Structure formats: C-alpha cells, structure tokens
PDB file of all heavy atoms in Angstrom:
ATOM      1  N   ARG A  99      67.983 137.242  49.932  1.00 74.00           N
ATOM      2  CA  ARG A  99      67.988 137.434  51.380  1.00 74.00           C
ATOM      3  C   ARG A  99      69.376 137.254  51.982  1.00 74.00           C
ATOM      4  O   ARG A  99      69.723 137.950  52.935  1.00 74.00           O
ATOM      5  CB  ARG A  99      66.998 136.478  52.032  1.00 74.00           C
ATOM      6  CG  ARG A  99      67.027 136.511  53.562  1.00 74.00           C
ATOM      7  CD  ARG A  99      65.806 135.872  54.175  1.00 74.00           C
ATOM      8  NE  ARG A  99      64.633 136.750  54.047  1.00 74.00           N
ATOM      9  CZ  ARG A  99      63.509 136.569  54.733  1.00 74.00           C
ATOM     10  NH1 ARG A  99      63.392 135.566  55.572  1.00 74.00           N
ATOM     11  NH2 ARG A  99      62.495 137.397  54.566  1.00 74.00           N
ATOM     12  N   ILE A 100      70.176 136.354  51.447  1.00 77.00           N
ATOM     13  CA  ILE A 100      71.433 136.034  52.138  1.00 77.00           C
ATOM     14  C   ILE A 100      72.672 136.295  51.298  1.00 77.00           C
ATOM     15  O   ILE A 100      73.770 135.901  51.690  1.00 77.00           O
ATOM     16  CB  ILE A 100      71.450 134.563  52.599  1.00 77.00           C
ATOM     17  CG1 ILE A 100      71.549 133.633  51.384  1.00 77.00           C
ATOM     18  CG2 ILE A 100      70.248 134.223  53.447  1.00 77.00           C
ATOM     19  CD1 ILE A 100      71.909 132.233  51.760  1.00 77.00           C
ATOM     20  N   ARG A 101      72.554 136.967  50.147  1.00 74.00           N
ATOM     21  CA  ARG A 101      73.736 137.104  49.288  1.00 74.00           C
ATOM     22  C   ARG A 101      74.856 137.867  49.965  1.00 74.00           C
ATOM     23  O   ARG A 101      76.039 137.543  49.785  1.00 74.00           O
ATOM     24  CB  ARG A 101      73.355 137.758  47.967  1.00 74.00           C
ATOM     25  CG  ARG A 101      72.681 139.104  48.083  1.00 74.00           C
ATOM     26  CD  ARG A 101      72.329 139.668  46.721  1.00 74.00           C
ATOM     27  NE  ARG A 101      71.577 140.908  46.826  1.00 74.00           N
ATOM     28  CZ  ARG A 101      71.304 141.676  45.794  1.00 74.00           C
ATOM     29  NH1 ARG A 101      71.715 141.331  44.589  1.00 74.00           N
ATOM     30  NH2 ARG A 101      70.618 142.786  45.953  1.00 74.00           N
ATOM     31  N   PHE A 102      74.539 138.923  50.747  1.00 69.00           N
ATOM     32  CA  PHE A 102      75.594 139.647  51.454  1.00 69.00           C
ATOM     33  C   PHE A 102      75.992 138.919  52.728  1.00 69.00           C
ATOM     34  O   PHE A 102      77.160 138.919  53.118  1.00 69.00           O
ATOM     35  CB  PHE A 102      75.131 141.070  51.777  1.00 69.00           C
ATOM     36  CG  PHE A 102      74.953 141.927  50.555  1.00 69.00           C
ATOM     37  CD1 PHE A 102      73.699 142.367  50.169  1.00 69.00           C
ATOM     38  CD2 PHE A 102      76.036 142.288  49.790  1.00 69.00           C
ATOM     39  CE1 PHE A 102      73.531 143.153  49.048  1.00 69.00           C
ATOM     40  CE2 PHE A 102      75.885 143.070  48.657  1.00 69.00           C
ATOM     41  CZ  PHE A 102      74.627 143.501  48.286  1.00 69.00           C
ATOM     42  N   TRP A 103      75.024 138.301  53.375  1.00 72.00           N
ATOM     43  CA  TRP A 103      75.327 137.548  54.596  1.00 72.00           C
ATOM     44  C   TRP A 103      76.276 136.400  54.298  1.00 72.00           C
ATOM     45  O   TRP A 103      77.163 136.102  55.099  1.00 72.00           O
ATOM     46  CB  TRP A 103      74.010 137.028  55.177  1.00 72.00           C
ATOM     47  CG  TRP A 103      74.160 136.168  56.382  1.00 72.00           C
ATOM     48  CD1 TRP A 103      74.188 136.565  57.689  1.00 72.00           C
ATOM     49  CD2 TRP A 103      74.317 134.746  56.400  1.00 72.00           C
ATOM     50  NE1 TRP A 103      74.350 135.487  58.503  1.00 72.00           N
ATOM     51  CE2 TRP A 103      74.430 134.354  57.736  1.00 72.00           C
ATOM     52  CE3 TRP A 103      74.364 133.774  55.399  1.00 72.00           C
ATOM     53  CZ2 TRP A 103      74.583 133.029  58.120  1.00 72.00           C
ATOM     54  CZ3 TRP A 103      74.529 132.455  55.774  1.00 72.00           C
ATOM     55  CH2 TRP A 103      74.633 132.085  57.125  1.00 72.00           C
ATOM     56  N   GLN A 104      76.125 135.753  53.137  1.00 75.00           N
ATOM     57  CA  GLN A 104      76.882 134.557  52.816  1.00 75.00           C
ATOM     58  C   GLN A 104      78.385 134.809  52.749  1.00 75.00           C
ATOM     59  O   GLN A 104      79.179 133.927  53.082  1.00 75.00           O
ATOM     60  CB  GLN A 104      76.378 133.967  51.493  1.00 75.00           C
ATOM     61  CG  GLN A 104      77.198 132.817  50.950  1.00 75.00           C
ATOM     62  CD  GLN A 104      77.224 131.617  51.862  1.00 75.00           C
ATOM     63  OE1 GLN A 104      76.352 131.470  52.714  1.00 75.00           O
ATOM     64  NE2 GLN A 104      78.238 130.785  51.717  1.00 75.00           N
ATOM     65  N   VAL A 105      78.823 135.987  52.313  1.00 78.00           N
ATOM     66  CA  VAL A 105      80.260 136.251  52.212  1.00 78.00           C
ATOM     67  C   VAL A 105      80.841 136.771  53.523  1.00 78.00           C
ATOM     68  O   VAL A 105      82.047 136.982  53.619  1.00 78.00           O
ATOM     69  CB  VAL A 105      80.563 137.267  51.094  1.00 78.00           C
ATOM     70  CG1 VAL A 105      80.154 136.703  49.749  1.00 78.00           C
ATOM     71  CG2 VAL A 105      79.875 138.598  51.339  1.00 78.00           C
ATOM     72  N   GLY A 106      80.007 136.944  54.536  1.00 83.00           N
ATOM     73  CA  GLY A 106      80.475 137.482  55.807  1.00 83.00           C
ATOM     74  C   GLY A 106      80.443 138.991  55.795  1.00 83.00           C
ATOM     75  O   GLY A 106      81.295 139.630  55.183  1.00 83.00           O
ATOM     76  N   SER A 107      79.438 139.563  56.425  1.00 86.00           N
ATOM     77  CA  SER A 107      79.247 141.007  56.328  1.00 86.00           C
ATOM     78  C   SER A 107      78.664 141.556  57.619  1.00 86.00           C
ATOM     79  O   SER A 107      77.869 140.888  58.285  1.00 86.00           O
ATOM     80  CB  SER A 107      78.313 141.341  55.158  1.00 86.00           C
ATOM     81  OG  SER A 107      78.032 142.721  55.123  1.00 86.00           O
ATOM     82  N   LEU A 108      79.051 142.791  57.947  1.00 88.00           N
ATOM     83  CA  LEU A 108      78.444 143.531  59.055  1.00 88.00           C
ATOM     84  C   LEU A 108      77.527 144.624  58.544  1.00 88.00           C
ATOM     85  O   LEU A 108      76.901 145.329  59.341  1.00 88.00           O
ATOM     86  CB  LEU A 108      79.540 144.160  59.931  1.00 88.00           C
ATOM     87  CG  LEU A 108      80.538 143.184  60.559  1.00 88.00           C
ATOM     88  CD1 LEU A 108      81.592 143.949  61.364  1.00 88.00           C
ATOM     89  CD2 LEU A 108      79.839 142.171  61.449  1.00 88.00           C
ATOM     90  N   LEU A 109      77.425 144.761  57.222  1.00 84.00           N
ATOM     91  CA  LEU A 109      76.605 145.812  56.636  1.00 84.00           C
ATOM     92  C   LEU A 109      75.127 145.551  56.920  1.00 84.00           C
ATOM     93  O   LEU A 109      74.622 144.447  56.721  1.00 84.00           O
ATOM     94  CB  LEU A 109      76.832 145.874  55.123  1.00 84.00           C
ATOM     95  CG  LEU A 109      76.029 146.915  54.343  1.00 84.00           C
ATOM     96  CD1 LEU A 109      76.398 148.317  54.789  1.00 84.00           C
ATOM     97  CD2 LEU A 109      76.253 146.741  52.850  1.00 84.00           C
ATOM     98  N   GLY A 110      74.441 146.597  57.386  1.00 77.00           N
ATOM     99  CA  GLY A 110      73.010 146.492  57.630  1.00 77.00           C
ATOM    100  C   GLY A 110      72.629 145.790  58.907  1.00 77.00           C
ATOM    101  O   GLY A 110      71.440 145.609  59.183  1.00 77.00           O
ATOM    102  N   ARG A 111      73.587 145.372  59.712  1.00 81.00           N
ATOM    103  CA  ARG A 111      73.262 144.716  60.984  1.00 81.00           C
ATOM    104  C   ARG A 111      72.857 145.773  61.999  1.00 81.00           C
ATOM    105  O   ARG A 111      73.510 146.817  62.125  1.00 81.00           O
ATOM    106  CB  ARG A 111      74.452 143.920  61.508  1.00 81.00           C
ATOM    107  CG  ARG A 111      75.000 142.871  60.546  1.00 81.00           C
ATOM    108  CD  ARG A 111      73.923 141.913  60.075  1.00 81.00           C
ATOM    109  NE  ARG A 111      74.477 140.731  59.431  1.00 81.00           N
ATOM    110  CZ  ARG A 111      74.674 140.590  58.127  1.00 81.00           C
ATOM    111  NH1 ARG A 111      74.380 141.585  57.324  1.00 81.00           N
ATOM    112  NH2 ARG A 111      75.152 139.484  57.623  1.00 81.00           N
ATOM    113  N   ASP A 112      71.800 145.522  62.735  1.00 83.00           N
ATOM    114  CA  ASP A 112      71.349 146.485  63.734  1.00 83.00           C
ATOM    115  C   ASP A 112      71.429 145.864  65.121  1.00 83.00           C
ATOM    116  O   ASP A 112      71.742 144.674  65.282  1.00 83.00           O
ATOM    117  CB  ASP A 112      69.922 146.973  63.431  1.00 83.00           C
ATOM    118  CG  ASP A 112      68.932 145.820  63.298  1.00 83.00           C
ATOM    119  OD1 ASP A 112      69.162 144.767  63.904  1.00 83.00           O
ATOM    120  OD2 ASP A 112      67.937 145.984  62.577  1.00 83.00           O
ATOM    121  N   LEU A 113      71.131 146.686  66.129  1.00 87.00           N
ATOM    122  CA  LEU A 113      71.245 146.207  67.504  1.00 87.00           C
ATOM    123  C   LEU A 113      70.213 145.142  67.835  1.00 87.00           C
ATOM    124  O   LEU A 113      70.406 144.359  68.773  1.00 87.00           O
ATOM    125  CB  LEU A 113      71.106 147.383  68.477  1.00 87.00           C
ATOM    126  CG  LEU A 113      72.314 148.316  68.567  1.00 87.00           C
ATOM    127  CD1 LEU A 113      72.053 149.440  69.561  1.00 87.00           C
ATOM    128  CD2 LEU A 113      73.569 147.539  68.983  1.00 87.00           C
ATOM    129  N   GLU A 114      69.125 145.074  67.079  1.00 85.00           N
ATOM    130  CA  GLU A 114      68.153 144.006  67.320  1.00 85.00           C
ATOM    131  C   GLU A 114      68.785 142.640  67.089  1.00 85.00           C
ATOM    132  O   GLU A 114      68.580 141.698  67.876  1.00 85.00           O
ATOM    133  CB  GLU A 114      66.944 144.186  66.400  1.00 85.00           C
ATOM    134  CG  GLU A 114      65.875 143.118  66.604  1.00 85.00           C
ATOM    135  CD  GLU A 114      64.700 143.291  65.660  1.00 85.00           C
ATOM    136  OE1 GLU A 114      64.696 144.279  64.895  1.00 85.00           O
ATOM    137  OE2 GLU A 114      63.806 142.433  65.683  1.00 85.00           O
ATOM    138  N   ILE A 115      69.570 142.523  66.006  1.00 84.00           N
ATOM    139  CA  ILE A 115      70.272 141.267  65.747  1.00 84.00           C
ATOM    140  C   ILE A 115      71.268 140.978  66.855  1.00 84.00           C
ATOM    141  O   ILE A 115      71.397 139.839  67.314  1.00 84.00           O
ATOM    142  CB  ILE A 115      70.975 141.335  64.380  1.00 84.00           C
ATOM    143  CG1 ILE A 115      69.943 141.403  63.250  1.00 84.00           C
ATOM    144  CG2 ILE A 115      71.900 140.137  64.181  1.00 84.00           C
ATOM    145  CD1 ILE A 115      70.548 141.525  61.872  1.00 84.00           C
ATOM    146  N   PHE A 116      71.969 142.030  67.304  1.00 90.00           N
ATOM    147  CA  PHE A 116      72.954 141.816  68.362  1.00 90.00           C
ATOM    148  C   PHE A 116      72.295 141.297  69.633  1.00 90.00           C
ATOM    149  O   PHE A 116      72.785 140.348  70.253  1.00 90.00           O
ATOM    150  CB  PHE A 116      73.705 143.114  68.659  1.00 90.00           C
ATOM    151  CG  PHE A 116      74.566 143.020  69.887  1.00 90.00           C
ATOM    152  CD1 PHE A 116      75.735 142.281  69.871  1.00 90.00           C
ATOM    153  CD2 PHE A 116      74.198 143.658  71.060  1.00 90.00           C
ATOM    154  CE1 PHE A 116      76.527 142.180  71.005  1.00 90.00           C
ATOM    155  CE2 PHE A 116      74.990 143.567  72.197  1.00 90.00           C
ATOM    156  CZ  PHE A 116      76.149 142.824  72.166  1.00 90.00           C
ATOM    157  N   TRP A 117      71.192 141.904  70.035  1.00 90.00           N
ATOM    158  CA  TRP A 117      70.540 141.465  71.272  1.00 90.00           C
ATOM    159  C   TRP A 117      70.004 140.048  71.148  1.00 90.00           C
ATOM    160  O   TRP A 117      69.883 139.334  72.143  1.00 90.00           O
ATOM    161  CB  TRP A 117      69.418 142.426  71.658  1.00 90.00           C
ATOM    162  CG  TRP A 117      69.910 143.771  72.092  1.00 90.00           C
ATOM    163  CD1 TRP A 117      69.606 144.975  71.532  1.00 90.00           C
ATOM    164  CD2 TRP A 117      70.832 144.064  73.158  1.00 90.00           C
ATOM    165  NE1 TRP A 117      70.275 145.996  72.176  1.00 90.00           N
ATOM    166  CE2 TRP A 117      71.027 145.464  73.175  1.00 90.00           C
ATOM    167  CE3 TRP A 117      71.504 143.283  74.087  1.00 90.00           C
ATOM    168  CZ2 TRP A 117      71.859 146.088  74.098  1.00 90.00           C
ATOM    169  CZ3 TRP A 117      72.340 143.896  75.005  1.00 90.00           C
ATOM    170  CH2 TRP A 117      72.512 145.283  75.006  1.00 90.00           C
ATOM    171  N   GLN A 118      69.685 139.624  69.948  1.00 87.00           N
ATOM    172  CA  GLN A 118      69.208 138.256  69.755  1.00 87.00           C
ATOM    173  C   GLN A 118      70.312 137.227  69.997  1.00 87.00           C
ATOM    174  O   GLN A 118      70.055 136.147  70.546  1.00 87.00           O
ATOM    175  CB  GLN A 118      68.655 138.105  68.335  1.00 87.00           C
ATOM    176  CG  GLN A 118      67.360 138.861  68.093  1.00 87.00           C
ATOM    177  CD  GLN A 118      67.033 138.986  66.626  1.00 87.00           C
ATOM    178  OE1 GLN A 118      67.750 138.463  65.775  1.00 87.00           O
ATOM    179  NE2 GLN A 118      65.950 139.676  66.308  1.00 87.00           N
ATOM    180  N   VAL A 119      71.528 137.552  69.578  1.00 89.00           N
ATOM    181  CA  VAL A 119      72.625 136.588  69.718  1.00 89.00           C
ATOM    182  C   VAL A 119      73.509 136.885  70.920  1.00 89.00           C
ATOM    183  O   VAL A 119      74.357 136.049  71.267  1.00 89.00           O
ATOM    184  CB  VAL A 119      73.484 136.556  68.440  1.00 89.00           C
ATOM    185  CG1 VAL A 119      72.653 136.172  67.235  1.00 89.00           C
ATOM    186  CG2 VAL A 119      74.174 137.900  68.194  1.00 89.00           C
ATOM    187  N   ALA A 120      73.335 138.040  71.562  1.00 92.00           N
ATOM    188  CA  ALA A 120      74.221 138.440  72.662  1.00 92.00           C
ATOM    189  C   ALA A 120      74.273 137.417  73.792  1.00 92.00           C
ATOM    190  O   ALA A 120      75.367 137.122  74.300  1.00 92.00           O
ATOM    191  CB  ALA A 120      73.809 139.815  73.192  1.00 92.00           C
ATOM    192  N   PRO A 121      73.142 136.857  74.252  1.00 92.00           N
ATOM    193  CA  PRO A 121      73.250 135.878  75.350  1.00 92.00           C
ATOM    194  C   PRO A 121      74.131 134.690  75.002  1.00 92.00           C
ATOM    195  O   PRO A 121      74.888 134.203  75.847  1.00 92.00           O
ATOM    196  CB  PRO A 121      71.783 135.444  75.569  1.00 92.00           C
ATOM    197  CG  PRO A 121      70.965 136.569  75.051  1.00 92.00           C
ATOM    198  CD  PRO A 121      71.733 137.116  73.892  1.00 92.00           C
ATOM    199  N   PHE A 122      74.066 134.233  73.755  1.00 91.00           N
ATOM    200  CA  PHE A 122      74.874 133.090  73.342  1.00 91.00           C
ATOM    201  C   PHE A 122      76.343 133.484  73.197  1.00 91.00           C
ATOM    202  O   PHE A 122      77.237 132.713  73.572  1.00 91.00           O
ATOM    203  CB  PHE A 122      74.327 132.534  72.028  1.00 91.00           C
ATOM    204  CG  PHE A 122      72.871 132.206  72.069  1.00 91.00           C
ATOM    205  CD1 PHE A 122      71.939 133.052  71.490  1.00 91.00           C
ATOM    206  CD2 PHE A 122      72.418 131.060  72.704  1.00 91.00           C
ATOM    207  CE1 PHE A 122      70.592 132.757  71.529  1.00 91.00           C
ATOM    208  CE2 PHE A 122      71.067 130.756  72.753  1.00 91.00           C
ATOM    209  CZ  PHE A 122      70.151 131.611  72.165  1.00 91.00           C
ATOM    210  N   LEU A 123      76.585 134.674  72.649  1.00 93.00           N
ATOM    211  CA  LEU A 123      77.966 135.148  72.531  1.00 93.00           C
ATOM    212  C   LEU A 123      78.609 135.319  73.898  1.00 93.00           C
ATOM    213  O   LEU A 123      79.734 134.861  74.129  1.00 93.00           O
ATOM    214  CB  LEU A 123      78.002 136.475  71.767  1.00 93.00           C
ATOM    215  CG  LEU A 123      77.778 136.425  70.250  1.00 93.00           C
ATOM    216  CD1 LEU A 123      77.647 137.835  69.696  1.00 93.00           C
ATOM    217  CD2 LEU A 123      78.919 135.693  69.568  1.00 93.00           C
ATOM    218  N   VAL A 124      77.903 135.966  74.815  1.00 94.00           N
ATOM    219  CA  VAL A 124      78.456 136.213  76.147  1.00 94.00           C
ATOM    220  C   VAL A 124      78.681 134.895  76.877  1.00 94.00           C
ATOM    221  O   VAL A 124      79.730 134.684  77.511  1.00 94.00           O
ATOM    222  CB  VAL A 124      77.530 137.140  76.950  1.00 94.00           C
ATOM    223  CG1 VAL A 124      77.999 137.252  78.394  1.00 94.00           C
ATOM    224  CG2 VAL A 124      77.478 138.529  76.303  1.00 94.00           C
ATOM    225  N   ALA A 125      77.704 133.984  76.798  1.00 95.00           N
ATOM    226  CA  ALA A 125      77.863 132.689  77.468  1.00 95.00           C
ATOM    227  C   ALA A 125      79.059 131.930  76.907  1.00 95.00           C
ATOM    228  O   ALA A 125      79.846 131.336  77.658  1.00 95.00           O
ATOM    229  CB  ALA A 125      76.583 131.862  77.311  1.00 95.00           C
ATOM    230  N   GLY A 126      79.209 131.938  75.575  1.00 94.00           N
ATOM    231  CA  GLY A 126      80.332 131.248  74.968  1.00 94.00           C
ATOM    232  C   GLY A 126      81.668 131.864  75.336  1.00 94.00           C
ATOM    233  O   GLY A 126      82.645 131.149  75.607  1.00 94.00           O
ATOM    234  N   ILE A 127      81.737 133.195  75.365  1.00 96.00           N
ATOM    235  CA  ILE A 127      82.986 133.876  75.714  1.00 96.00           C
ATOM    236  C   ILE A 127      83.369 133.597  77.164  1.00 96.00           C
ATOM    237  O   ILE A 127      84.527 133.276  77.477  1.00 96.00           O
ATOM    238  CB  ILE A 127      82.851 135.394  75.461  1.00 96.00           C
ATOM    239  CG1 ILE A 127      82.789 135.669  73.956  1.00 96.00           C
ATOM    240  CG2 ILE A 127      84.019 136.157  76.087  1.00 96.00           C
ATOM    241  CD1 ILE A 127      82.461 137.106  73.607  1.00 96.00           C
ATOM    242  N   VAL A 128      82.400 133.705  78.079  1.00 96.00           N
ATOM    243  CA  VAL A 128      82.685 133.452  79.501  1.00 96.00           C
ATOM    244  C   VAL A 128      83.127 132.008  79.712  1.00 96.00           C
ATOM    245  O   VAL A 128      84.110 131.730  80.418  1.00 96.00           O
ATOM    246  CB  VAL A 128      81.451 133.791  80.354  1.00 96.00           C
ATOM    247  CG1 VAL A 128      81.663 133.334  81.796  1.00 96.00           C
ATOM    248  CG2 VAL A 128      81.168 135.287  80.310  1.00 96.00           C
ATOM    249  N   LEU A 129      82.401 131.073  79.102  1.00 96.00           N
ATOM    250  CA  LEU A 129      82.764 129.655  79.244  1.00 96.00           C
ATOM    251  C   LEU A 129      84.152 129.396  78.685  1.00 96.00           C
ATOM    252  O   LEU A 129      84.957 128.678  79.297  1.00 96.00           O
ATOM    253  CB  LEU A 129      81.726 128.791  78.532  1.00 96.00           C
ATOM    254  CG  LEU A 129      81.968 127.276  78.537  1.00 96.00           C
ATOM    255  CD1 LEU A 129      82.069 126.750  79.961  1.00 96.00           C
ATOM    256  CD2 LEU A 129      80.857 126.561  77.774  1.00 96.00           C
ATOM    257  N   ALA A 130      84.465 129.978  77.535  1.00 96.00           N
ATOM    258  CA  ALA A 130      85.781 129.770  76.927  1.00 96.00           C
ATOM    259  C   ALA A 130      86.899 130.285  77.831  1.00 96.00           C
ATOM    260  O   ALA A 130      87.914 129.601  78.032  1.00 96.00           O
ATOM    261  CB  ALA A 130      85.832 130.458  75.565  1.00 96.00           C
ATOM    262  N   LEU A 131      86.731 131.473  78.366  1.00 95.00           N
ATOM    263  CA  LEU A 131      87.780 132.039  79.220  1.00 95.00           C
ATOM    264  C   LEU A 131      87.960 131.234  80.503  1.00 95.00           C
ATOM    265  O   LEU A 131      89.062 131.177  81.052  1.00 95.00           O
ATOM    266  CB  LEU A 131      87.434 133.498  79.552  1.00 95.00           C
ATOM    267  CG  LEU A 131      87.451 134.465  78.356  1.00 95.00           C
ATOM    268  CD1 LEU A 131      87.023 135.858  78.796  1.00 95.00           C
ATOM    269  CD2 LEU A 131      88.832 134.523  77.709  1.00 95.00           C
ATOM    270  N   CYS A 132      86.886 130.614  80.986  1.00 95.00           N
ATOM    271  CA  CYS A 132      86.984 129.801  82.207  1.00 95.00           C
ATOM    272  C   CYS A 132      87.681 128.468  81.958  1.00 95.00           C
ATOM    273  O   CYS A 132      88.112 127.816  82.921  1.00 95.00           O
ATOM    274  CB  CYS A 132      85.599 129.551  82.786  1.00 95.00           C
ATOM    275  SG  CYS A 132      84.793 131.018  83.472  1.00 95.00           S
ATOM    276  N   LEU A 133      87.792 128.056  80.702  1.00 94.00           N
ATOM    277  CA  LEU A 133      88.373 126.758  80.380  1.00 94.00           C
ATOM    278  C   LEU A 133      89.891 126.779  80.256  1.00 94.00           C
ATOM    279  O   LEU A 133      90.494 125.734  80.031  1.00 94.00           O
ATOM    280  CB  LEU A 133      87.770 126.236  79.070  1.00 94.00           C
ATOM    281  CG  LEU A 133      86.331 125.714  79.140  1.00 94.00           C
ATOM    282  CD1 LEU A 133      85.790 125.488  77.742  1.00 94.00           C
ATOM    283  CD2 LEU A 133      86.273 124.435  79.951  1.00 94.00           C
ATOM    284  N   GLY A 134      90.518 127.949  80.400  1.00 92.00           N
ATOM    285  CA  GLY A 134      91.959 128.051  80.216  1.00 92.00           C
ATOM    286  C   GLY A 134      92.772 127.070  81.037  1.00 92.00           C
ATOM    287  O   GLY A 134      93.587 126.305  80.480  1.00 92.00           O
ATOM    288  N   PRO A 135      92.619 127.039  82.373  1.00 90.00           N
ATOM    289  CA  PRO A 135      93.413 126.099  83.170  1.00 90.00           C
ATOM    290  C   PRO A 135      93.168 124.639  82.793  1.00 90.00           C
ATOM    291  O   PRO A 135      94.097 123.829  82.775  1.00 90.00           O
ATOM    292  CB  PRO A 135      92.958 126.390  84.613  1.00 90.00           C
ATOM    293  CG  PRO A 135      92.421 127.783  84.566  1.00 90.00           C
ATOM    294  CD  PRO A 135      91.811 127.935  83.219  1.00 90.00           C
TER     295      PRO A 135
END
C-alpha cells in the first residue's frame, strides 16, 4: 500500500486526495504568510 508513497511520490495521486488535504494546506499557507512580521 505505501511502497511508492514512502519514498515521496506524486504518481497516482488524484484530485480526491487533494481536496481532502486542501483545507489544511491552505490554512497552513495563509497562517505562515501572515506570520512574517
């Protein structure tokens, strides 16, 4: 299940996976950019 995932891979990733993690990615990116000052 994880042999390709373990080495770091984008192969076989679909938009369903992206939508699952997108809220966390966007929240983290926005928070990070706001922390600059």
Side-chain angles (χ1 to χ4, degrees):
R99 174 164 285 195
I100 69 166
R101 56 181 175 171
F102 293 113
W103 176 89
Q104 173 62 21
V105 297
S107 175
L108 301 178
L109 179 63
R111 304 306 194 266
D112 55 27
L113 286 180
E114 181 181 357
I115 293 178
F116 170 73
W117 291 121
Q118 291 165 3
V119 301
F122 306 103
L123 286 172
V124 172
I127 290 172
V128 171
L129 178 58
L131 294 177
C132 291
L133 286 169

